[in-house]
Amino acid sequence: MMNKTTKWILWSVLLVFLIIYPLVFGIYYTNVFVTFAIAALYAVAIQMLLGFTGFLSFGHAMYFGVGAYGTAIALVHIKGLPLIVSVLFGFASALLLALVMAPLVVRLSVTAFAMIHMAFGMLAYTLALKLRNITGGEDGIGAFPIPPLRIPGVFSIDMTDPTNFYYFAMVILGVSIWILWFVTKTPFGCLMVGIRDNANRIDYLGFKLPQTKAVLYLLVGGFAGIAGSIFALFQNLISAMELYIMHSFIQIMQIMVGGIGSFFGPILGAGVFAVLEELTSRYTQRVELVIGLILILVIMYFPTGLIGMYHHFKTRFFTRQAD
Amino acid sequence: MDATTAMYVAQGLHGLAYGMILFLVASGLTLIFGMMGILTLAHAAFFMLSAYFSYQVMQMTQNFWLALLIAPVVAGIVGVLCERFLIRRVHVMGHIGELILTVGISLVILDAVKAIWSTDSLYVDIPECLQGLVSIVGMEYPIYRLFIIGLALLVLIFMALILYKTRLGMIVRAAVSDADMVNALGINVPLVFMLVFGVGTWMAGVAGVAIAPILTVFPGLADQMGMDAYIIVVVGGFGSLSGAFLVSIIFGLLSSYGVQFVSQLAPILMFIFMAIVLVIKPVGIFGERE
């Protein structure tokens, strides 16, 4: 185990890296990093459901999308809305959707859970496509005003500047990821793992299964909504395409590539995907081919993902085993 | 017959034809996903691949019937190879592994198709004997769509006969309900499953060839159809052919009448239908197990 000093050093190195990153790498890579960070929060939230509690969802893009639309629509219709409140709008609208969905889904088995999410996810997608006067259809909602971050009379920071927005996004996303990490360390987090490993036993111990799942479900939906909200602010555009089912699958793939069941796996997976997309789109036209091949290779040869690979090699080369 | 009734009948026939195509794709998926429990998202990719093969055969021979014969078989062989060398190995990992693997396969197929045939829409001609209109109770209707309905019915009957009347069908059904037991009886279950996977892919291939002249052949062909077929299998109930048939027809009619009455909301009707069914009965209309 790492001792406290090394841990603090590592955290401060990470912090310094995040702070100087936009100064060193310029605007383009800053934006790439924000995209990655959004995907990371989204994947971490899904991982709470998939890796920790064992529920596969094929439709969580709807929470991402509803969060994004919530923020965008609030900014279009309410003049002078503060930035933080607009993010809270995204969070709240995703939470509201989760609140409506929770009673329907918490008692379902794993397969039915996945399928019903696919149904509602596609319903959300087609609704976003067809309710043109609210969501803008294929064109989506774009060019809405991005309010500056300000406390009246104290300071006001322009958020249309990429570097400023980078810091803002890092704080929001970082705090969100930290909250989710904290949740996994609480007794509630242990309960989640317990539900995954042996739901009956948790039930016999006297915990209320549906209610526990509902709380977790709200949490996951809400934080997916925050990721969506930041995405909408970052792109200054949200269209129905973000709700498409592929955007539910990509997160599952990132989790698999990173490592299922570990907290930092999805972040790693999101990073791998970001780098891959960056590299493949630069050197070849055939992005899908490369990603498809990598998915096939990963699942055939490293089904536990990168984190699993790390543990495999660690035990193989760096630990002594009694024969 | 007055114009309004004729329109209703025509829309009904359109819906029936589309429903039948859906059923061809969905019944293959019922075999693979519903019965064998292999979550494959590559099914629609094979459907699209077969449409491209049919275009290629048409280019070379100008013979639609030959295309109908060859293209689905080639697509089926590609499917069997994928099953034998890829999907089988990750089956033990459960649905997540299959999901990722088959998404990978369909991405590769999609990009390969784009590389070989470009992204343009390719046109496939309807064979001469199926061109033109036929008069049904005083109304003109394209022969080709009737041909599709007939073709799908033929495949359906053929499959039902094999599945419920032959020894092979009996083995398949037994292997689906208890693979270990059938294996212990000395039957090569993986081979049976490989065969079923091939037949399922072949059926999607037939649908691909049949729809090519109507919709033209383009890479996006897989998207819509794949999703619809999935929803049909889930709503109809896992492994239930009659469920898939019923829901395919309902979806076909929903989409054709939906376009007529509430054109804006037509695609939503299907998902609303699915959501309602699943909320009431999560295993689907005729589903008995998870």
Side-chain angles (χ1 to χ4, degrees):
Chain A
M1 219 40 226
M2 278 184 284
N3 61 31
K4 244 182 174 157
T5 336
T6 8
K7 228 176 209 172
W8 276 112
I9 291 172
L10 278 176
W11 279 117
S12 12
V13 166
L14 181 68
L15 198 64
V16 170
F17 171 75
L18 287 179
I19 288 172
I20 62 166
Y21 182 88
L23 308 174
V24 177
F25 289 97
I27 287 174
Y28 178 75
Y29 285 102
T30 306
N31 287 345
V32 171
F33 198 86
V34 173
T35 313
F36 150 70
I38 291 167
L41 172 60
Y42 185 22
V44 164
I46 303 295
Q47 169 82 313
M48 300 281 284
L49 208 57
L50 176 63
F52 284 93
T53 325
F55 275 86
L56 182 59
S57 157
F58 286 164
H60 255 71
M62 67 177 157
Y63 291 104
F64 187 83
V66 162
Y69 273 114
T71 298
I73 291 172
L75 281 173
V76 168
H77 291 287
I78 306 172
K79 292 276 170 286
L81 191 73
L83 189 66
I84 298 288
V85 180
S86 78
V87 175
L88 286 181
F89 259 97
F91 178 67
S93 40
L95 210 58
L96 199 66
L97 180 64
L99 209 55
V100 176
M101 289 287 294
L104 297 178
V105 300
V106 288
R107 284 163 214 274
L108 298 177
S109 72
V110 175
T111 319
F113 186 89
M115 290 307 152
I116 211 160
H117 272 90
M118 190 172 81
F120 278 99
M122 288 307 284
L123 181 61
Y125 167 67
T126 28
L127 279 177
L129 213 54
K130 295 295 168 188
L131 294 178
R132 219 165 280 272
N133 42 3
I134 302 175
T135 61
E138 286 106 348
D139 304 333
I141 304 173
F144 44 83
I146 305 286
L149 179 69
R150 63 156 182 258
I151 298 174
V154 185
F155 65 89
S156 170
I157 304 168
D158 179 24
M159 276 301 146
T160 48
D161 178 67
T163 315
N164 289 347
F165 188 81
Y166 166 86
Y167 289 120
F168 170 72
M170 282 310 121
V171 170
I172 298 278
L173 297 171
V175 167
S176 302
I177 289 178
W178 182 80
I179 291 174
L180 288 176
W181 178 80
F182 184 78
V183 168
T184 63
K185 299 293 168 195
T186 59
F188 180 76
C190 301
L191 213 53
M192 282 161 34
V193 181
I195 290 174
R196 178 189 70 191
D197 291 342
N198 194 341
N200 279 336
R201 179 140 191 207
I202 298 290
D203 199 9
Y204 295 153
L205 284 172
F207 294 104
K208 292 187 171 117
L209 275 188
Q211 283 85 338
T212 314
K213 281 187 215 160
V215 171
L216 171 81
Y217 191 77
L218 289 182
L219 202 71
V220 172
F223 279 98
I226 289 189
S229 171
I230 299 289
F231 177 84
L233 289 171
F234 172 60
Q235 298 279 338
N236 204 355
L237 171 73
I238 172 71
S239 71
M241 275 329 284
E242 298 308 322
L243 283 154
Y244 193 60
I245 191 158
M246 211 55 207
H247 288 263
S248 296
F249 290 153
I250 287 174
Q251 263 50 47
I252 299 172
M253 290 172 200
Q254 289 175 345
I255 291 170
M256 277 313 273
V257 170
I260 192 163
S262 98
F263 187 84
F264 292 100
I267 302 180
L268 204 61
V272 169
F273 266 63
V275 171
L276 269 181
E277 263 163 41
E278 189 55 37
L279 288 180
T280 46
S281 56
R282 180 170 308 174
Y283 294 111
T284 158
Q285 294 269 304
R286 312 246 158 258
V287 182
E288 284 163 336
L289 187 74
V290 174
I291 290 188
L293 283 176
I294 287 171
L295 287 177
I296 293 176
L297 288 179
V298 164
I299 205 69
M300 296 291 293
Y301 298 105
F302 310 107
T304 48
L306 289 172
I307 299 265
M309 242 165 100
Y310 166 73
H311 285 303
H312 174 76
F313 286 117
K314 201 173 115 182
T315 42
R316 185 148 176 205
F317 296 115
F318 296 106
T319 46
R320 265 189 224 162
Q321 282 165 332
D323 293 315
Chain B
M1 199 185 333
D2 63 303
T4 329
T5 330
M7 191 176 68
Y8 281 127
V9 175
Q11 284 293 340
L13 281 174
H14 264 76
L16 208 59
Y18 182 63
M20 280 301 187
I21 290 280
L22 276 178
F23 175 68
L24 270 182
V25 182
S27 56
L29 199 61
T30 301
L31 283 179
I32 296 170
F33 178 47
M35 291 190 172
M36 286 151 57
I38 298 174
L39 179 66
T40 166
L41 288 168
H43 197 65
F46 292 124
F47 161 80
M48 176 193 69
L49 198 61
S50 173
Y52 273 99
F53 285 150
S54 82
Y55 167 81
Q56 200 59 45
V57 175
M58 288 284 280
Q59 283 290 305
M60 290 192 278
T61 64
Q62 307 296 334
N63 189 337
F64 179 78
W65 305 104
L66 212 57
L68 188 59
L69 209 63
I70 294 173
V73 172
V74 179
I77 289 171
V78 176
V80 164
L81 290 178
C82 284
E83 200 277 339
R84 175 65 186 80
F85 293 106
L86 300 170
I87 296 173
R88 185 180 294 182
R89 297 187 187 181
V90 301
H91 189 58
V92 287
M93 290 171 53
H95 281 170
I96 304 176
E98 286 159 2
L99 167 82
I100 294 177
L101 180 68
T102 49
V103 167
I105 292 174
S106 49
L107 284 178
V108 170
I109 290 180
L110 189 68
D111 231 31
V113 160
K114 281 182 191 166
I116 300 172
W117 286 284
S118 88
T119 52
D120 303 335
S121 285
L122 307 172
Y123 293 90
V124 176
D125 294 327
I126 298 176
E128 253 173 56
C129 59
L130 295 177
Q131 277 172 359
L133 302 166
V134 67
S135 154
I136 311 167
V137 285
M139 180 195 68
E140 300 285 295
Y141 197 77
I143 300 178
Y144 189 73
R145 289 187 187 245
L146 293 178
F147 164 74
I148 287 181
I149 298 177
L151 181 72
L153 277 178
L154 203 69
V155 173
L156 164 69
I157 293 168
F158 166 73
M159 216 183 78
L161 281 181
I162 287 186
L163 207 55
Y164 292 102
K165 291 289 174 200
T166 63
R167 194 181 145 75
L168 179 69
M170 197 170 68
I171 293 172
V172 168
R173 282 180 293 139
V176 161
S177 84
D178 192 339
D180 290 338
M181 194 61 217
V182 176
N183 207 4
L185 289 173
I187 289 161
N188 190 348
V189 173
L191 185 74
V192 172
F193 275 16
M194 194 170 88
L195 200 75
V196 175
F197 196 95
V199 171
T201 315
W202 175 79
M203 292 176 78
V206 171
V209 178
I211 209 161
I214 298 183
L215 290 183
T216 75
V217 184
F218 59 100
L221 201 59
D223 294 348
Q224 184 60 40
M225 195 57 84
M227 215 59 240
D228 287 359
Y230 242 89
I231 290 171
I232 287 166
V233 173
V234 172
V235 174
F238 289 148
S240 164
L241 271 181
S242 40
F245 182 71
L246 180 72
V247 178
S248 304
I249 300 302
I250 292 177
F251 275 16
L253 294 177
L254 264 184
S255 78
S256 70
Y257 283 120
V259 166
Q260 191 179 1
F261 292 114
V262 278
S263 57
Q264 270 291 304
L265 299 175
I268 301 176
L269 291 177
M270 274 193 233
F271 296 116
I272 291 178
F273 182 76
M274 177 189 193
I276 292 173
V277 168
L278 288 190
V279 165
I280 297 170
K281 197 164 178 235
V283 287
I285 294 180
F286 288 119
E288 284 154 13
R289 63 201 170 88
E290 288 285 306

